[in-house]
Amino acid sequence: MAYAALSERVSVNPRRACLAAGVAGGVLYGALVRRWVLTWGASAAEAAAHLPGDELLIEADGVSTRAIGIRAPRSAVWPWIAQMGPAPRGGAYTYDWIENLLGLNMHSADTVLPEFQHPRLGDTIGYGRNRMRLERVEPERVLAWRSQDGNWVWTFVLEEVDGTTRLISRNRFRLPRWMDRIGMVPMEPASLVMERKMLLGIKARAERLATTTAGSHPSGPGPEPSRRFQCATVDGEIIIRRPVEEVFDFVADERNEPRYNPRMLRAEQTSPGPVGVGTRFDTELKTMGRTMPMAVEFTGVDRPRRLASVTRSSMMVTEGELTFEPIAAGTRMRWSWEVRPRGAMRVMVPWVGVIGRRQEQDIWGALKRLLESDGDGA
C-alpha cells in the first residue's frame, strides 16, 4: 500500500518526460557534438576566418564551415563547382536519391559540362523552394550564391598551395522565426551527411580530372563504375613540436605504433633492410572486440617529407600518405587516406570517414603527446 501510494505521487507525466528528454538531448548536442557537426573537415582557423561571401549576410543566426583537402590544382576543382545545380546542370555530387525525394531534380554528373563552365553574376538556379542568385564570382577562387529572400548564403572558397587545393564550403543562415531555429537542430546533422558526401564527391572527381586529363579535354570519360565513390576519405593535420626528421623516422618505423595507438596490439617488420619503398609490416589491431590482422606496405618514401602506404585487412583497404613539413614550431604532419571497405562493410562507407577522422585525430594526438613528453618518445 505504501509503495503504491508513493508510486502514484512520483508518476511521470509522459509529455513532461518527452519535453525534458528533448531539452536534455538538445543541451548534450550543443555541448558535445554541434561544433564538430558544423565544422567537419575545417581547421579552427578556417572555421573562425572571415571568408569572401560573408559580406552578403552580415548578421547570421547560423554558420557552418566544412572543408576538404584535394590533391589537385584549383583548375581541376573549379569545373565541378561552376556547374552545380539541378538538371540540366551537374547536380550536387551527394545522395541524388535523397535530393530527388525532396523534388530537387539533382543528377550528379561525372564529366565536365562545357555549357556551364562560365558562371556570371546574376545567374540563378532553383533549389527546392529557394531561388539562388549568383552574387560573387572569382573564377577558380570564389563562388557565392544567395537565396532570393536573402536569408541564406552559400559560398565555396578554393585555396591552392603547391598543387593541392583546400575547398571550403560555408553556409550562412538568417532564421527570423523561432520555429526555424528549432527546426535547425535536426537539420544540422542531416546537412553534414549530405555536404560531406558532396565534398568527397568533388574531391574524387577533381583528383581524377587532374590525373586523367593532363593534355586531354576535361570532358573525357569518367571512372570505371565499379570504383566510383566506394571509398571514404580521411584528412587532417597536427603540429608536433619536434624536428621533422625525428617525427618522420619515428612514424616510419611502424613497430613504434603500439606505443601511441592503444588499439594496435602488435607490429613487426617482415621485409629486410632499412625503411624504403616495399617495406612491409604485419600488424594486429583490436577492433569491435576482436583482433584483426593487417598488412602494411610502404609505396612511397621521401625522407623526411612524405610516407605513402597501403594497408590491407579482411574488412578494408586503406591507401594514402603522410606528409611532414618543417615549420618554426616543429613539424606540421598531414594525413590523407582513402578507405575502401570490403564485402558487407561497404554499406558503412558514409560513416567510415566520420569515424576514421575522429580515430586519426586521437592516434596522432597521442603521438604528439608522446614525442613532446619530457621522456622523449623517440
Side-chain angles (χ1 to χ4, degrees):
M1 293 289 292
Y3 175 77
L6 179 61
S7 298
E8 185 175 341
R9 289 184 181 181
V10 299
S11 62
V12 178
N13 184 299
R15 291 185 179 179
R16 292 181 179 178
C18 290
L19 178 61
V23 171
V27 170
L28 289 174
Y29 168 72
L32 302 177
V33 182
R34 186 169 187 258
R35 178 175 177 78
W36 174 79
V37 166
L38 294 178
T39 61
W40 179 87
S43 67
E46 288 168 339
H50 177 81
L51 296 179
D54 287 358
E55 74 281 357
L56 299 173
L57 181 55
I58 301 297
E59 296 182 0
D61 298 312
V63 179
S64 70
T65 307
R66 294 161 181 151
I68 197 166
I70 302 176
R71 296 191 298 272
R74 288 185 298 192
S75 59
V77 180
W78 176 259
W80 309 104
I81 306 295
Q83 69 186 31
M84 286 181 66
R89 301 181 69 90
Y93 319 116
T94 184
Y95 299 101
D96 287 353
W97 66 274
I98 296 179
E99 299 267 20
N100 294 329
L101 281 177
L102 301 175
L104 300 183
N105 194 23
M106 292 289 184
H107 302 280
S108 297
D110 290 330
T111 58
V112 172
L113 307 177
E115 63 270 33
F116 298 114
Q117 290 307 303
H118 304 286
R120 297 173 298 179
L121 289 177
D123 286 354
T124 62
I125 60 171
Y127 206 86
R129 291 180 296 176
N130 290 299
R131 194 76 189 172
M132 305 291 287
R133 184 179 188 272
L134 196 51
E135 299 285 358
R136 184 164 179 170
V137 182
E138 299 176 32
E140 298 189 8
R141 183 172 178 267
V142 179
L143 193 73
W145 301 90
R146 179 163 56 183
S147 64
Q148 195 171 33
D149 61 11
N151 290 331
W152 175 23
V153 171
W154 190 7
T155 304
F156 292 96
V157 178
L158 292 75
E159 299 176 348
E160 181 181 341
V161 178
D162 296 331
T164 297
T165 300
R166 193 75 177 155
L167 173 60
I168 304 172
S169 170
R170 172 164 288 178
N171 284 273
R172 296 175 67 85
F173 293 95
R174 183 164 47 223
L175 305 169
R177 301 182 303 169
W178 66 270
M179 293 175 58
D180 297 329
R181 301 189 183 194
I182 294 175
M184 282 302 294
V185 175
M187 284 297 296
E188 287 174 354
S191 72
L192 170 60
V193 172
M194 300 298 287
E195 193 164 9
R196 173 187 168 277
K197 176 68 170 177
M198 177 200 73
L199 292 172
L200 292 172
I202 294 172
K203 173 184 172 71
R205 288 165 169 84
E207 291 180 351
R208 184 179 71 247
L209 181 62
T211 57
T212 63
T213 62
S216 64
H217 195 277
S219 59
E224 61 272 27
S226 62
R227 287 198 56 185
R228 286 190 306 178
F229 320 123
Q230 293 183 0
C231 67
T233 302
V234 178
D235 297 288
E237 67 175 54
I238 196 168
I239 293 176
I240 301 175
R241 295 193 300 273
R242 305 295 293 196
V244 67
E245 293 84 3
E246 179 182 308
V247 177
F248 179 93
D249 289 343
F250 190 78
V251 173
D253 189 345
E254 184 68 23
R255 294 171 296 182
N256 287 322
E257 184 164 350
R259 299 177 61 184
Y260 55 87
N261 181 0
R263 298 172 63 240
M264 184 67 71
L265 304 178
R266 179 182 63 85
E268 298 177 358
Q269 185 171 337
T270 58
S271 58
V275 168
V277 174
T279 298
R280 297 182 299 277
F281 297 86
D282 282 345
T283 68
E284 287 185 354
L285 187 75
K286 185 176 181 180
T287 179
M288 295 185 290
R290 65 187 184 93
T291 299
M292 180 174 65
M294 300 191 308
V296 181
E297 180 177 351
F298 289 155
T299 57
V301 178
D302 180 17
R303 182 183 186 271
R305 300 286 184 169
R306 176 177 175 270
L307 187 65
S309 65
V310 57
T311 301
R312 297 179 175 88
S313 72
S314 60
M315 297 174 63
M316 60 189 64
V317 176
T318 301
E319 189 170 4
E321 65 180 13
L322 297 166
T323 58
F324 305 80
E325 176 188 355
I327 59 175
T331 301
R332 175 182 286 111
M333 188 179 82
R334 294 188 174 98
W335 54 91
S336 180
W337 308 116
E338 286 189 354
V339 185
R340 298 192 296 276
R342 289 176 160 174
M345 285 294 294
R346 290 176 182 171
V347 300
M348 295 294 292
V349 166
W351 303 109
V352 166
V354 176
I355 297 170
R357 182 171 182 270
R358 299 183 68 175
Q359 289 180 342
E360 289 293 289
Q361 289 285 357
D362 290 343
I363 292 169
W364 302 122
L367 171 72
K368 171 183 171 72
R369 292 189 293 274
L370 176 63
L371 293 183
E372 293 179 354
S373 67
D374 292 338
D376 190 359

